[in-house]
């Protein structure tokens, strides 16, 4: 069984945002999969996906602080500066965290750990809407 | 063909640990797959998986040293400090390295390079046992 | 439908290189897949794969500059120095960026964003040829 959906994420401010529920809601066939995988893919080069702590908002604020420290806006050695000081830093953060996640599916649900949630990591000041491609594959678990 | 297994990794000290053999042993169906993929997924937010040099223990010690330098325990700007100085640093290391690996399978074996081995990256001082979900899919290569 | 190909990439200088076209050309069955996934896997521990901006060469030069700053060759605390000052730094960069990418396939093409291209990230001064394993799976979209 294969299904593929597009999900448009509304614009969000720069920072790390929980999107687990929105992703699950966009793939109704998930409930039918006995064992499989869900692939999440962001079609952008200045935002990224991560899987991390889903309870404390301060964890997500610390991610934003730390990554701004690690890859400073307008770093002095950047050559690609035409699109603003946050652009090149955003490209690098995007590749450090990555554009995709593959998550296990079991008995109709994502088989995540208790504290795991999907983050949209918005690295631009004004990134706008973001597009995800969601690809689900697995064994159909419905009774015949 | 789809199979899914849980693997409980015994507690390990903070650091980078080779677990390739343990992973392969947990998926006996691997030997039957002609062409496929094995997905490894860690159900935690303060440890991670990586694929790197499988021969020299000093490489794994250098990973530990470097990542402690990159993301210092108790970094002064962290807000989420309730769970100890190693906690927030562990969350960030976990997302820099990632919670999952997808590895090619060919003729009943992982199609790794000569020097590639799977690392469990334990970022907590006392992380305890860790759970992996292993999802194997591929073409069954057994004669009919 | 499953297919698996080996792709040998000719030696490239240290730096970040676009290889999207070379990858697509190595998987002719891609054009037949209605919905699926292409998995790219590098069988090495001192080079990596990333997905980022495909238009401006200065972005790729900034990646090289930034990663050299982030993980300096011959960093003073490295213990594994036998293979030269660029070796241990290359191992760490390889795990920060990762050895694999999974990309969605739709209607016979990679479903990438407009600006996304596949990078081979060569972290060694003299890395030589590099081997990729390309695994394609999906629903065959040909008319019966």
């Amino acid at each position: 069984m294969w299904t593929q959906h597009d999900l448009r994420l509304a614009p969000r401010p720069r920072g790390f945002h929980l999107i687990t529920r929105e992703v699950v809601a966009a793939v109704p066939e998930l409930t039918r999969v006995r064992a499989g995988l869900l692939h999440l893919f962001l079609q952008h080069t200045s935002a990224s996906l991560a899987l991390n702590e889903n309870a404390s908002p301060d964890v997500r604020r610390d991610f934003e602080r730390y990554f701004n420290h690690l890859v400073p806006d307008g770093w002095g050695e950047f050559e690609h500066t035409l699109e603003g000081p946050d652009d090149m830093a955003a490209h690098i953060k995007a590749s450090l965290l990555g554009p995709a996640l593959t998550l296990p599916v079991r008995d109709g649900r994502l088989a995540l750990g208790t504290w795991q949630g999907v983050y949209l990591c918005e690295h631009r000041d004004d990134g706008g809407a973001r597009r995800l491609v969601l690809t689900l594959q697995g064994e159909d678990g419905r009774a015949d």
Side-chain angles (χ1 to χ4, degrees), chain A residues 14 45-46 73-74 78 80-94 123-125:
Chain A
R14 179 167 166 166
T45 61
S46 58
D73 281 12
F78 284 147
H80 181 80
T81 56
L82 209 68
E83 300 174 58
D86 61 326
D87 179 65
M88 191 60 223
H91 287 309
I92 288 177
K93 291 169 182 170
H123 304 305
R124 297 294 316 257
D125 289 332

Side-chain angles (χ1 to χ4, degrees), chain A residues 1-4 135-138:
Chain A
M1 169 181 155
W2 284 88
T3 66
Q4 214 165 47
T135 304
L136 174 69
Q137 49 170 328

Side-chain angles (χ1 to χ4, degrees), chain A residues 29-90:
Chain A
E29 299 87 351
L30 198 68
T31 57
R32 287 163 31 193
V33 173
R34 193 193 60 79
L37 293 171
L38 178 65
H39 179 256
L40 289 64
F41 182 75
L42 195 60
Q43 292 184 306
H44 302 272
T45 61
S46 58
S48 58
L49 297 175
L51 196 71
N52 219 292
E53 216 265 349
N54 61 16
S56 309
D58 53 0
V59 169
R60 300 196 293 280
R61 289 191 296 264
D62 282 348
F63 265 89
E64 176 64 11
R65 266 181 220 113
Y66 175 79
F67 277 90
N68 290 339
H69 166 79
L70 186 68
V71 194
D73 281 12
W75 184 54
E77 298 190 35
F78 284 147
E79 180 184 350
H80 181 80
T81 56
L82 209 68
E83 300 174 58
D86 61 326
D87 179 65
M88 191 60 223

